């Protein structure tokens, strides 16, 4: 879908403002799409806004610069996604895909909080208005911030350039991405959980034995070896016990939903990344390829052997192990309080 519109010689230009990261997003390179990420407090962003001005335009762009207000705390940094040459026709979908790709790679509270709405009329750009969205967090302040390390930047930039266009898949990958994104904005915890399960279910072709085939497919796609594949296989069983209880109105523990939500979202993230790399045109081709290999044999499906190593910890840790550690920590903490 193209959100940048041309009406005669009038073009709408939208500049989304992101929050929810403790990492410097300017380190990610999307120049191959003529897109740059600026921190809004930076001199680079100010120069970009100044570059939009022209001799025929009396607009001082002060409205656009209002996005710099607030965000002075290190946990509230704001970043702008901009088209380097906004006077040229472009797809706003490309701008949105930068945010989507970062959120897929880094499940987090990364979100669009504001949008600068500009109008380009015959080469003269003016500010129309600012749009605002409520800040969302699944945990207490500052939330689940996007975190990365410098060593992974080249690998992530290479991944982005190779698979960016795959984000426009309108079939099963697109459905998985849409439901993954919906999980962040869903109004209820259970809706978030079900959205993520639906994202996974869309990769399975056919209706027979969906859960069993899904468990095996995820284990093959996301497991690096036999052991990690077996852990994922087991985790999906536990995840789907809760999914079934929610969907059929059975009793379940809300604390378990909270506990499973993060590893479930990490698993969906990993699956989408693998699907982008595989590039199968439909889920039937994917399912047929998975049937031919076993646990730990994911590299036999395709020639790409280097793995984008994100969310590995959250997808390859047994859920019962997390519960054990949580219980152990509670016991230790309780004992410490008794001593005092």
């Amino acid at each position: 879908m193209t959100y940048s519109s041309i009406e005669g010689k009038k073009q709408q230009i939208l500049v989304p403002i992101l929050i929810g990261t403790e990492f410097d997003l300017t380190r990610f390179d999307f120049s191959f799409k003529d897109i740059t990420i600026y921190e809004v407090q930076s001199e680079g962003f100010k120069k970009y806004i100044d570059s939009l001005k022209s001799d025929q335009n009396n607009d001082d762009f002060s409205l656009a610069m209002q996005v710099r207000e607030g965000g002075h705390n290190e946990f509230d940094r704001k970043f702008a996604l901009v088209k380097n040459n906004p006077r040229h026709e472009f797809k706003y979908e490309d701008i949105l895909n930068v945010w989507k790709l970062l959120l897929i790679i880094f499940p987090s509270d990364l979100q669009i909080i504001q949008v600068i709405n500009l109008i380009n009329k015959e080469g003269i750009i003016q500010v129309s208005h600012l749009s605002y969205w409520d800040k969302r967090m699944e945990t207490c302040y500052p939330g689940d911030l996007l975190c990365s390390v410098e060593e992974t930047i080249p690998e992530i930039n290479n991944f982005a350039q190779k698979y960016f266009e795959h984000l426009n898949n309108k079939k099963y990958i697109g459905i998985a991405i849409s439901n993954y994104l919906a999980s962040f904005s869903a109004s209820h915890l259970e809706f978030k959980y079900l959205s993520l399960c639906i994202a996974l279910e869309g990769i399975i072709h056919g209706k027979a034995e969906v859960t069993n085939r899904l468990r095996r497919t995820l284990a093959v796609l996301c497991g690096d070896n036999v052991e990690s594949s077996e852990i994922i296989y087991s985790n999906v069983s536990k995840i789907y016990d809760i999914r079934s209880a929610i969907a059929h109105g059975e009793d379940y523990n809300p604390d378990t939903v909270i506990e499973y939500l993060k590893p479930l979202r990490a698993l969906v993230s990993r699956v989408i990344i693998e699907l982008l790399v595989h590039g199968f045109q439909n889920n039937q081709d994917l399912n047929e390829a998975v049937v031919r290999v076993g646990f730990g044999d994911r590299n036999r499906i395709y020639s790409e052997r280097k793995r984008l190593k994100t969310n590995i910890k959250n997808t390859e840790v047994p859920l019962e192990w997390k519960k054990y550690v949580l219980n152990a920590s509670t016991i230790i903490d309780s004992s410490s309080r008794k001593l005092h």
Side-chain angles (χ1 to χ4, degrees):
M1 181 176 181
T2 301
Y3 291 87
S4 177
S5 60
I6 299 290
E7 299 174 1
K9 294 184 179 180
K10 186 177 180 181
Q11 180 187 21
Q12 183 182 24
I13 303 169
L14 306 179
V15 178
I17 308 299
L18 302 183
I19 61 167
T21 176
E22 68 176 31
F23 188 75
D24 182 3
L25 299 186
T26 66
R27 300 292 295 119
F28 299 118
D29 181 12
F30 292 91
S31 59
F32 62 93
K33 295 299 291 185
D34 196 36
I35 293 171
T36 297
I37 304 178
Y38 288 110
E39 186 167 7
V40 299
Q41 299 292 345
S42 69
E43 185 64 22
F45 179 69
K46 182 179 182 300
K47 289 181 178 179
Y48 176 80
I49 295 298
D50 287 341
S51 73
L52 304 180
K53 302 176 183 178
S54 62
D55 295 338
Q56 297 86 1
N57 184 9
N58 295 323
D59 193 336
D60 63 3
F61 284 78
S62 58
L63 183 60
M65 297 305 289
Q66 285 183 18
V67 298
R68 304 182 82 177
E69 297 175 1
H72 297 293
N73 187 289
E74 63 176 320
F75 299 134
D76 295 315
R77 298 170 72 183
K78 295 181 180 180
F79 293 85
L81 306 181
V82 307
K83 189 71 172 179
N84 294 336
N85 297 289
R87 289 180 172 84
H88 299 167
E89 183 177 359
F90 66 92
K91 294 180 179 179
Y92 182 53
E93 187 175 34
D94 286 342
I95 297 282
L96 284 181
N97 278 345
V98 172
W99 165 63
K100 291 178 182 180
L101 186 64
L102 292 177
L103 194 56
I104 289 167
I105 296 174
F106 302 103
S108 62
D109 283 330
L110 185 70
Q111 60 197 275
I112 298 174
I113 193 69
Q114 294 167 299
V115 174
I116 304 173
N117 295 262
L118 306 168
I119 297 295
N120 175 18
K121 187 174 182 179
E122 297 181 345
I124 299 175
I125 296 178
Q126 293 180 309
V127 181
S128 172
H129 62 282
L130 288 179
S131 301
Y132 295 85
W133 279 264
D134 292 332
K135 186 175 182 179
R136 58 165 174 78
M137 292 186 296
E138 291 191 354
T139 59
C140 60
Y141 180 84
D144 188 10
L145 301 177
L146 184 153
C147 301
S148 185
V149 293
E150 190 67 25
E151 290 76 11
T152 64
I153 299 304
E155 185 179 356
I156 291 172
N157 287 339
N158 178 63
F159 177 87
Q161 186 164 359
K162 291 176 68 175
Y163 302 110
F164 191 87
E165 297 301 332
H166 291 196
L167 292 169
N168 296 324
N169 184 294
K170 304 301 182 184
K171 299 179 181 179
Y172 75 113
I173 297 178
I175 293 172
I177 292 173
S178 295
N179 282 285
Y180 171 78
L181 296 175
S183 74
F184 290 95
S185 57
S187 58
H188 294 78
L189 183 67
E190 290 80 6
F191 294 166
K192 297 176 186 288
Y193 198 94
L194 291 177
S195 293
L196 292 168
C197 290
I198 292 171
L200 294 177
E201 291 157 16
I203 73 172
I204 300 300
H205 176 74
K207 300 179 181 179
E209 298 184 344
V210 172
T211 302
N212 288 334
R213 291 191 294 127
L214 180 61
R215 292 164 63 194
R216 187 179 186 282
T217 298
L218 298 180
V220 171
L221 279 180
C222 300
D224 266 340
N225 49 52
V226 173
E227 181 182 9
S228 62
S229 291
E230 289 176 344
I231 290 171
I232 293 169
Y233 188 85
S234 175
N235 284 353
V236 174
S237 295
K238 295 177 174 60
I239 286 169
Y240 265 76
D241 286 343
I242 299 299
R243 181 244 188 265
S244 178
I246 294 173
H248 295 99
E250 300 170 1
D251 291 335
Y252 60 90
N253 187 344
D255 290 339
T256 304
V257 178
I258 295 172
E259 179 187 353
Y260 287 5
L261 187 63
K262 189 167 185 176
L264 171 56
R265 184 170 279 149
L267 180 62
V268 179
S269 163
R270 278 245 52 89
V271 168
I272 293 174
I273 289 171
E274 297 299 333
L275 295 180
L276 293 174
V277 173
H278 289 311
F280 289 113
Q281 292 301 308
N282 55 65
N283 54 11
Q284 182 176 5
D285 291 343
L286 169 65
N287 292 176
E288 290 176 355
V290 169
V291 166
R292 294 192 292 267
V293 300
F295 286 6
D297 292 332
R298 55 183 294 278
N299 287 332
R300 290 175 54 194
I301 300 176
Y302 64 120
S303 59
E304 180 87 11
R305 292 189 176 273
K306 188 173 182 180
R307 189 179 193 190
L308 184 62
K309 291 187 175 295
T310 60
N311 308 315
I312 300 296
K313 180 179 179 181
N314 283 322
T315 57
E316 297 186 358
V317 174
L319 294 178
E320 63 270 20
W321 181 85
K322 287 189 174 184
K323 186 178 296 185
Y324 170 79
V325 171
L326 181 64
N327 291 338
S329 299
T330 302
I331 293 171
I332 293 171
D333 186 51
S334 298
S335 300
S336 299
R337 285 199 298 270
K338 290 178 180 177
L339 290 175
H340 293 285

